[in-house]
Amino acid sequence: MLEAHSATQSSAFQAPRWLPIAVVLGLAVLMLSIASYRATGVAIREPDAAAAVIRELRFEDRADGSVVVIDHRTNQKVGAIAGEAGFARGTLRGFARERRLRGVSAEHPLELVGRVDGRLTLSDPQTGRVVDLESFGTTNSGVFARLLATDGRQ
């Protein structure tokens, strides 16, 4: 009697025969999805709203460690990044790295785009790199938002 009871228990907890196959197929689909993303570099992101304002800016390093921000169209200084400014420096380093890897000159401006929905985007038309600045909070994106508000008469 005891043996019959344990045989019933073991059969009650057996996994269906299709479960291991389903797990293997699921993992295969996941790995192919990851490989496809890495190969193409195409990320899934929300479409951008229309641009309310676009400003082409160049960022130039100075000997004192600061970064001067120059309006590409007027060739006038519109700001500077000095001191720690970790987020701004980190963001700009990412763009500089991408340009070095692709052999793109720093002479080409980046585009700072204020969108009608309030979002702020920094992009490099030369490399295709895009950073949605508002994703990092208002304090961090505010560093770049101030560059849209300046008129170059500093």
Side-chain angles (χ1 to χ4, degrees), residues 129-151:
R129 181 182 175 93
V130 177
V131 175
D132 293 319
L133 299 168
E134 80 288 341
S135 299
F136 299 96
T138 55
T139 303
N140 288 325
S141 64
V143 173
F144 290 97
R146 284 188 289 278
L147 298 173
L148 278 179
T150 59
D151 62 6

Side-chain angles (χ1 to χ4, degrees), residues 45-53 113-121 132-135:
R45 63 187 294 262
E46 188 176 320
D48 291 327
V53 61
V113 182
R115 304 203 176 270
V116 294
D117 62 0
R119 292 175 43 223
L120 190 63
T121 304
D132 293 319
L133 299 168
E134 80 288 341
S135 299

Side-chain angles (χ1 to χ4, degrees), residues 16-113:
R17 291 179 185 222
W18 56 266
L19 185 62
I21 295 169
V23 169
V24 169
L25 287 174
L27 288 173
V29 168
L30 177 65
M31 290 188 325
L32 285 172
S33 298
I34 292 170
S36 172
Y37 169 75
R38 287 181 165 247
T40 62
V42 175
I44 299 170
R45 63 187 294 262
E46 188 176 320
D48 291 327
V53 61
I54 300 174
R55 191 159 203 190
E56 293 182 323
L57 300 170
R58 289 192 327 270
F59 298 86
E60 297 180 358
D61 292 323
R62 296 293 187 232
D64 64 359
S66 66
V67 177
V68 173
V69 185
I70 298 170
D71 184 300
H72 184 68
R73 292 189 179 154
T74 65
N75 209 33
Q76 292 186 4
K77 177 183 168 184
V78 293
I81 300 170
E84 290 289 322
F87 174 73
R89 289 180 183 276
T91 301
L92 295 173
R93 267 195 303 271
F95 280 98
R97 179 182 177 276
E98 188 72 26
R99 284 182 166 200
R100 270 194 313 277
L101 289 173
R102 295 178 185 236
V104 176
S105 166
E107 296 294 317
H108 299 286
L110 299 178
E111 289 183 348
L112 183 59
V113 182

